[in-house]
Amino acid sequence: TNIDYTFSTQTVDPDAQLVYYLWFWGDEMSEWMGPYESGVSIQVEHSWTADGTYEIKVKAKDELDAVSNWSEPLTITIVGKPFIEIGEITGGFGLHAKLQNTGAINATEVQWNISLQGLIFIGKEKTGVVDTIVPGSFSTAKTGFILGFGNVDFTITATAEGLNPVEKQVSVFVFGPFVTRVV
C-alpha cells in the first residue's frame, strides 16, 4: 500500500488522431488523460491505500470522441506494509521498550538502538535486531545491565526493512542498575 506503481498502455488510431486514455484502477477512475500521439506508449502511476485485489483496465478515445472498449483487466493484489510502533517503556532492572507491529504483514530485520544521555557509567548504548515481528505482535528491546544515577534521557529508535525509522524519547530516573521512574 501507498507505493506508486507504474503502468503503460498504447493504442493506434486508424486515422492517426491524437489519443486520450481513461484508467479504472479498481478503487477509483481517472480523468481522461492526454492528448498523446497515436501509437506512442505512455506511462501512468497509481497507488492504493488499502489492501485488496484490484482489476485495472484502460480505454482510449480519439479527438472525435470515438471510444474503444475497455482493455482486458489486469489483476493486482496489494498487501499492506508492516508498521512499527514503539509502545510501553518500563523500568526495573534496566529499561524495556515494546516494539509493536501494527501493520498488515510481517516486519523483518527490525533494527533497534537504545541510547542513554546523562550520568550513566555502564550501558550508554545498546543495539539489536529482531528477525521477524508478526502483525499484532511485539518484541522487547532491553538495555541490559546499566549503572548510573539521576535523571537520564532515554531514546529508542527502531526501523524495519522498507520502513522509515521511528523514535521515542522519555526521561527516566536511574539509581544504580535500577530505573525507578519513567516519565
Side-chain angles (χ1 to χ4, degrees), residues 86 89 97 99 112-115 141 154-158 166-169:
I86 300 171
I89 297 172
L99 305 177
W112 54 267
N113 178 289
I114 292 174
S115 66
F154 169 86
T155 304
I156 181 166
T157 306
V166 292
E167 181 177 282
K168 189 169 186 179
Q169 297 177 323

Side-chain angles (χ1 to χ4, degrees), residues 60-80:
K61 76 174 181 176
D62 66 15
E63 295 173 283
L64 299 177
D65 289 332
V67 179
S68 73
N69 293 326
W70 285 105
S71 66
E72 288 295 318
L74 169 70
T75 301
I76 186 170
T77 300
I78 302 296
V79 294

